[in-house]
Amino acid sequence: MTKTETRTFNAFLKTNKIEKQNEFIPVSESFKDEDGNTIRWEVRQLTNDEMKSIKKSCVKQVKDKRGSVSVETDTDKMLCLMAATSTVYPDLKNAELQGSYGVMGEVALLEAMLSAGELMNFQQEINRINGFDVSLEDKVDEAKN
């Protein structure tokens, strides 16, 4: 512990935790308001329970020719599920919105609404919002400066 560091137990109490606010980000130039401005999408950070559920749904066991079993993660599916679950607005669960694109489900709707590049950029933003873009070492280095 450095001389400038202080230990304040109360800072760790839930009542003192600073919750991350939802963010509003431009996702696609294809969606404009009445004035021609790009509509920003509202996204939120995932909970640990949501992330565990997403990971679990993206893991499958694979047998090789010898019968050995290994575990594989479908990262494309995981990124799409993270993006869909993090999206607050537009409401990807809305049946009318899904119907207008002729799809069922939030992931299918995202894939129908966005181009491949837009979806990839959106997934990168979701990773950033959920803290997957910065390593612990980067955070430590930033705190030192």
Side-chain angles (χ1 to χ4, degrees), residues 19-24 41-45 86 88-89 129:
E19 295 296 329
K20 183 157 182 163
Q21 299 297 309
N22 290 0
E23 292 189 28
F24 296 83
W41 293 28
E42 182 179 0
V43 293
R44 66 176 179 82
Q45 195 171 52
S86 291
V88 175
Y89 179 80
I129 288 163

Side-chain angles (χ1 to χ4, degrees), residues 3 7 13 20 29 32 35 44 46 52 57 60-61 74 100 102 106-108 110 119 130-131 133 135-136 141 143-144:
K3 292 180 182 179
R7 291 189 179 197
L13 297 175
K20 183 157 182 163
E29 292 292 321
K32 306 275 187 184
D35 298 323
R44 66 176 179 82
L46 297 170
K52 284 178 192 175
S57 71
K60 61 182 175 183
Q61 293 185 346
D74 184 341
S100 76
E106 297 113 282
V107 170
L110 266 182
L119 182 58
N130 283 286
D133 64 329
S135 71
L136 184 57
D141 289 342
K144 287 179 181 179

Side-chain angles (χ1 to χ4, degrees), residues 12-77:
F12 294 100
L13 297 175
K14 186 174 182 174
T15 55
N16 295 326
K17 182 180 177 192
I18 300 169
E19 295 296 329
K20 183 157 182 163
Q21 299 297 309
N22 290 0
E23 292 189 28
F24 296 83
I25 58 172
V27 175
S28 173
E29 292 292 321
S30 300
F31 306 105
K32 306 275 187 184
D33 64 16
E34 302 82 29
D35 298 323
N37 300 312
T38 300
I39 298 174
R40 294 179 180 266
W41 293 28
E42 182 179 0
V43 293
R44 66 176 179 82
Q45 195 171 52
L46 297 170
T47 66
N48 281 319
D49 286 341
E50 288 171 326
M51 194 63 216
K52 284 178 192 175
S53 177
I54 289 169
K55 282 182 186 178
K56 187 176 181 179
S57 71
C58 296
V59 172
K60 61 182 175 183
Q61 293 185 346
V62 180
K63 280 188 181 180
D64 66 13
K65 294 177 183 175
R66 294 183 215 145
S68 297
V69 178
S70 63
V71 176
E72 290 183 2
T73 300
D74 184 341
T75 53
D76 290 335
K77 180 180 177 182

Side-chain angles (χ1 to χ4, degrees), residues 25-28 30-31 41-43 46 54 76-94 97-126:
I25 58 172
V27 175
S28 173
S30 300
F31 306 105
W41 293 28
E42 182 179 0
V43 293
L46 297 170
I54 289 169
D76 290 335
K77 180 180 177 182
M78 187 168 72
L79 290 170
C80 282
L81 285 171
M82 287 173 61
T85 305
S86 291
T87 302
V88 175
Y89 179 80
D91 180 5
L92 301 177
K93 294 178 183 174
N94 183 285
L97 186 57
Q98 290 179 14
S100 76
Y101 284 89
V103 298
M104 289 182 64
E106 297 113 282
V107 170
L109 180 58
L110 266 182
E111 291 173 340
M113 291 176 75
L114 302 175
S115 70
E118 289 171 336
L119 182 58
M120 184 174 286
N121 290 335
F122 185 48
Q123 291 168 337
Q124 289 173 345
E125 282 294 300
I126 295 302

